[in-house]
mmCIF file of all heavy atoms in Angstrom:
data_model
loop_
_atom_site.group_PDB
_atom_site.id
_atom_site.type_symbol
_atom_site.label_atom_id
_atom_site.label_comp_id
_atom_site.label_asym_id
_atom_site.label_seq_id
_atom_site.Cartn_x
_atom_site.Cartn_y
_atom_site.Cartn_z
ATOM 1 N N ILE A 1687 23.273 54.643 3.232
ATOM 2 C CA ILE A 1687 23.918 53.755 2.216
ATOM 3 C C ILE A 1687 25.381 54.110 2.028
ATOM 4 O O ILE A 1687 26.242 53.239 2.013
ATOM 5 C CB ILE A 1687 23.127 53.704 0.902
ATOM 6 C CG1 ILE A 1687 21.732 53.173 1.198
ATOM 7 C CG2 ILE A 1687 23.882 52.835 -0.127
ATOM 8 C CD1 ILE A 1687 20.789 53.294 -0.037
ATOM 9 N N GLN A 1688 25.650 55.421 1.919
ATOM 10 C CA GLN A 1688 27.013 55.849 1.755
ATOM 11 C C GLN A 1688 27.828 55.524 2.989
ATOM 12 O O GLN A 1688 28.998 55.084 2.908
ATOM 13 C CB GLN A 1688 27.040 57.405 1.521
ATOM 14 C CG GLN A 1688 26.495 57.828 0.199
ATOM 15 C CD GLN A 1688 27.523 57.808 -0.908
ATOM 16 O OE1 GLN A 1688 28.274 56.849 -1.043
ATOM 17 N NE2 GLN A 1688 27.596 58.849 -1.691
ATOM 18 N N LEU A 1689 27.269 55.673 4.121
ATOM 19 C CA LEU A 1689 27.973 55.393 5.372
ATOM 20 C C LEU A 1689 28.291 53.899 5.531
ATOM 21 O O LEU A 1689 29.258 53.466 6.163
ATOM 22 C CB LEU A 1689 27.199 55.885 6.539
ATOM 23 C CG LEU A 1689 26.900 57.427 6.607
ATOM 24 C CD1 LEU A 1689 26.083 57.711 7.808
ATOM 25 C CD2 LEU A 1689 28.250 58.139 6.678
ATOM 26 N N ALA A 1690 27.421 53.050 4.967
ATOM 27 C CA ALA A 1690 27.578 51.571 5.117
ATOM 28 C C ALA A 1690 28.639 51.064 4.094
ATOM 29 O O ALA A 1690 29.182 49.920 4.310
ATOM 30 C CB ALA A 1690 26.262 50.919 4.868
ATOM 31 N N ALA A 1691 28.889 51.760 3.026
ATOM 32 C CA ALA A 1691 29.828 51.324 2.023
ATOM 33 C C ALA A 1691 31.265 51.701 2.411
ATOM 34 O O ALA A 1691 31.484 52.816 2.893
ATOM 35 C CB ALA A 1691 29.415 51.797 0.679
ATOM 36 N N SER A 1692 32.171 50.904 1.998
ATOM 37 C CA SER A 1692 33.608 51.296 2.291
ATOM 38 C C SER A 1692 34.300 51.938 1.106
ATOM 39 O O SER A 1692 35.116 52.838 1.266
ATOM 40 C CB SER A 1692 34.371 50.001 2.612
ATOM 41 O OG SER A 1692 34.275 49.059 1.604
ATOM 42 N N ASN A 1693 33.998 51.582 -0.084
ATOM 43 C CA ASN A 1693 34.620 52.132 -1.311
ATOM 44 C C ASN A 1693 33.487 52.736 -2.152
ATOM 45 O O ASN A 1693 32.750 52.072 -2.809
ATOM 46 C CB ASN A 1693 35.353 51.054 -2.089
ATOM 47 C CG ASN A 1693 36.174 51.627 -3.213
ATOM 48 O OD1 ASN A 1693 36.315 52.854 -3.385
ATOM 49 N ND2 ASN A 1693 36.725 50.698 -4.018
ATOM 50 N N LYS A 1694 33.390 54.064 -2.144
ATOM 51 C CA LYS A 1694 32.276 54.719 -2.774
ATOM 52 C C LYS A 1694 32.715 55.840 -3.750
ATOM 53 O O LYS A 1694 33.728 56.462 -3.449
ATOM 54 C CB LYS A 1694 31.312 55.231 -1.768
ATOM 55 C CG LYS A 1694 31.977 56.060 -0.635
ATOM 56 C CD LYS A 1694 31.331 55.825 0.682
ATOM 57 C CE LYS A 1694 32.050 56.467 1.781
ATOM 58 N NZ LYS A 1694 31.603 55.995 3.138
ATOM 59 N N HIS A 1695 31.928 55.984 -4.767
ATOM 60 C CA HIS A 1695 32.230 57.018 -5.777
ATOM 61 C C HIS A 1695 30.945 57.735 -6.175
ATOM 62 O O HIS A 1695 29.794 57.191 -6.140
ATOM 63 C CB HIS A 1695 32.877 56.426 -6.994
ATOM 64 C CG HIS A 1695 34.086 55.588 -6.635
ATOM 65 N ND1 HIS A 1695 35.387 56.109 -6.480
ATOM 66 C CD2 HIS A 1695 34.240 54.236 -6.477
ATOM 67 C CE1 HIS A 1695 36.207 55.164 -6.252
ATOM 68 N NE2 HIS A 1695 35.575 54.010 -6.171
ATOM 69 N N GLN A 1696 31.041 58.922 -6.655
ATOM 70 C CA GLN A 1696 29.927 59.731 -7.163
ATOM 71 C C GLN A 1696 29.814 59.496 -8.624
ATOM 72 O O GLN A 1696 30.720 59.450 -9.368
ATOM 73 C CB GLN A 1696 30.166 61.171 -6.888
ATOM 74 C CG GLN A 1696 28.954 62.104 -7.064
ATOM 75 C CD GLN A 1696 29.332 63.511 -6.727
ATOM 76 O OE1 GLN A 1696 30.052 64.183 -7.477
ATOM 77 N NE2 GLN A 1696 28.769 63.994 -5.624
ATOM 78 N N CYS A 1697 28.589 59.132 -9.086
ATOM 79 C CA CYS A 1697 28.401 58.914 -10.535
ATOM 80 C C CYS A 1697 28.328 60.246 -11.296
ATOM 81 O O CYS A 1697 27.690 61.239 -10.817
ATOM 82 C CB CYS A 1697 27.099 58.090 -10.776
ATOM 83 S SG CYS A 1697 25.529 58.923 -10.426
ATOM 84 N N ARG A 1698 28.971 60.298 -12.408
ATOM 85 C CA ARG A 1698 28.904 61.475 -13.320
ATOM 86 C C ARG A 1698 29.196 61.134 -14.705
ATOM 87 O O ARG A 1698 29.931 60.146 -14.983
ATOM 88 C CB ARG A 1698 29.850 62.552 -12.742
ATOM 89 C CG ARG A 1698 31.351 62.120 -12.705
ATOM 90 C CD ARG A 1698 32.269 63.218 -12.075
ATOM 91 N NE ARG A 1698 33.656 62.829 -12.106
ATOM 92 C CZ ARG A 1698 34.225 62.136 -11.213
ATOM 93 N NH1 ARG A 1698 33.501 61.782 -10.151
ATOM 94 N NH2 ARG A 1698 35.454 61.854 -11.265
ATOM 95 N N ALA A 1699 28.744 61.961 -15.575
ATOM 96 C CA ALA A 1699 28.957 61.679 -17.066
ATOM 97 C C ALA A 1699 30.453 61.672 -17.347
ATOM 98 O O ALA A 1699 31.252 62.436 -16.849
ATOM 99 C CB ALA A 1699 28.212 62.787 -17.847
ATOM 100 N N GLY A 1700 30.816 60.667 -18.222
ATOM 101 C CA GLY A 1700 32.240 60.613 -18.625
ATOM 102 C C GLY A 1700 32.927 59.402 -18.063
ATOM 103 O O GLY A 1700 33.987 59.001 -18.553
ATOM 104 N N GLN A 1701 32.405 58.833 -16.880
ATOM 105 C CA GLN A 1701 33.002 57.718 -16.327
ATOM 106 C C GLN A 1701 32.745 56.476 -17.307
ATOM 107 O O GLN A 1701 31.699 56.329 -17.890
ATOM 108 C CB GLN A 1701 32.395 57.381 -14.976
ATOM 109 C CG GLN A 1701 32.634 58.381 -13.899
ATOM 110 C CD GLN A 1701 31.850 58.169 -12.650
ATOM 111 O OE1 GLN A 1701 30.762 57.714 -12.689
ATOM 112 N NE2 GLN A 1701 32.380 58.577 -11.526
ATOM 113 N N SER A 1702 33.757 55.618 -17.394
ATOM 114 C CA SER A 1702 33.670 54.453 -18.205
ATOM 115 C C SER A 1702 34.675 53.328 -17.782
ATOM 116 O O SER A 1702 35.658 53.689 -17.169
ATOM 117 C CB SER A 1702 33.831 54.736 -19.714
ATOM 118 O OG SER A 1702 35.247 55.175 -19.927
ATOM 119 N N TRP A 1703 34.319 52.094 -18.036
ATOM 120 C CA TRP A 1703 35.234 51.065 -17.746
ATOM 121 C C TRP A 1703 34.873 49.824 -18.630
ATOM 122 O O TRP A 1703 33.764 49.821 -19.240
ATOM 123 C CB TRP A 1703 35.180 50.626 -16.247
ATOM 124 C CG TRP A 1703 33.838 50.086 -15.779
ATOM 125 C CD1 TRP A 1703 33.524 48.782 -15.715
ATOM 126 C CD2 TRP A 1703 32.758 50.875 -15.303
ATOM 127 N NE1 TRP A 1703 32.251 48.692 -15.218
ATOM 128 C CE2 TRP A 1703 31.782 49.949 -14.918
ATOM 129 C CE3 TRP A 1703 32.489 52.239 -15.169
ATOM 130 C CZ2 TRP A 1703 30.507 50.342 -14.467
ATOM 131 C CZ3 TRP A 1703 31.298 52.640 -14.708
ATOM 132 C CH2 TRP A 1703 30.295 51.657 -14.344
ATOM 133 N N GLU A 1704 35.678 48.822 -18.710
ATOM 134 C CA GLU A 1704 35.424 47.664 -19.555
ATOM 135 C C GLU A 1704 35.637 46.401 -18.748
ATOM 136 O O GLU A 1704 36.711 46.269 -18.034
ATOM 137 C CB GLU A 1704 36.347 47.681 -20.812
ATOM 138 C CG GLU A 1704 35.999 46.569 -21.792
ATOM 139 C CD GLU A 1704 36.748 46.797 -23.115
ATOM 140 O OE1 GLU A 1704 36.712 47.883 -23.660
ATOM 141 O OE2 GLU A 1704 37.334 45.723 -23.521
ATOM 142 N N TRP A 1705 34.765 45.452 -18.783
ATOM 143 C CA TRP A 1705 34.939 44.173 -18.182
ATOM 144 C C TRP A 1705 34.718 43.053 -19.236
ATOM 145 O O TRP A 1705 33.663 42.972 -19.961
ATOM 146 C CB TRP A 1705 33.806 43.971 -17.119
ATOM 147 C CG TRP A 1705 33.976 44.713 -15.848
ATOM 148 C CD1 TRP A 1705 35.102 45.254 -15.413
ATOM 149 C CD2 TRP A 1705 32.996 45.045 -14.902
ATOM 150 N NE1 TRP A 1705 34.957 45.906 -14.203
ATOM 151 C CE2 TRP A 1705 33.596 45.774 -13.814
ATOM 152 C CE3 TRP A 1705 31.586 44.758 -14.788
ATOM 153 C CZ2 TRP A 1705 32.898 46.271 -12.769
ATOM 154 C CZ3 TRP A 1705 30.941 45.252 -13.710
ATOM 155 C CH2 TRP A 1705 31.562 45.987 -12.702
ATOM 156 N N ASP A 1706 35.625 42.194 -19.482
ATOM 157 C CA ASP A 1706 35.535 41.008 -20.268
ATOM 158 C C ASP A 1706 34.966 41.308 -21.689
ATOM 159 O O ASP A 1706 34.109 40.616 -22.228
ATOM 160 C CB ASP A 1706 34.619 39.991 -19.602
ATOM 161 C CG ASP A 1706 35.062 39.741 -18.198
ATOM 162 O OD1 ASP A 1706 36.217 39.495 -17.956
ATOM 163 O OD2 ASP A 1706 34.190 39.723 -17.302
ATOM 164 N N GLY A 1707 35.422 42.452 -22.218
ATOM 165 C CA GLY A 1707 35.041 42.805 -23.648
ATOM 166 C C GLY A 1707 33.647 43.536 -23.662
ATOM 167 O O GLY A 1707 33.134 43.658 -24.752
ATOM 168 N N VAL A 1708 33.129 43.944 -22.525
ATOM 169 C CA VAL A 1708 31.835 44.676 -22.448
ATOM 170 C C VAL A 1708 32.185 46.084 -21.870
ATOM 171 O O VAL A 1708 32.786 46.200 -20.840
ATOM 172 C CB VAL A 1708 30.866 43.936 -21.540
ATOM 173 C CG1 VAL A 1708 29.533 44.744 -21.514
ATOM 174 C CG2 VAL A 1708 30.579 42.534 -22.126
ATOM 175 N N ARG A 1709 31.641 47.115 -22.527
ATOM 176 C CA ARG A 1709 31.870 48.500 -22.103
ATOM 177 C C ARG A 1709 30.767 49.116 -21.291
ATOM 178 O O ARG A 1709 29.598 48.861 -21.661
ATOM 179 C CB ARG A 1709 32.167 49.358 -23.367
ATOM 180 C CG ARG A 1709 32.573 50.807 -23.051
ATOM 181 C CD ARG A 1709 32.907 51.595 -24.263
ATOM 182 N NE ARG A 1709 33.185 53.007 -23.947
ATOM 183 C CZ ARG A 1709 34.344 53.439 -23.526
ATOM 184 N NH1 ARG A 1709 35.375 52.618 -23.391
ATOM 185 N NH2 ARG A 1709 34.537 54.723 -23.272
#
Side-chain angles (χ1 to χ4, degrees):
I1687 297 174
Q1688 290 273 48
L1689 298 176
S1692 56
N1693 188 8
K1694 50 217 170 191
H1695 306 275
Q1696 194 178 68
C1697 68
R1698 61 183 182 273
Q1701 294 171 329
S1702 64
W1703 64 94
E1704 186 171 311
W1705 287 339
D1706 308 315
V1708 178
R1709 183 176 176 83

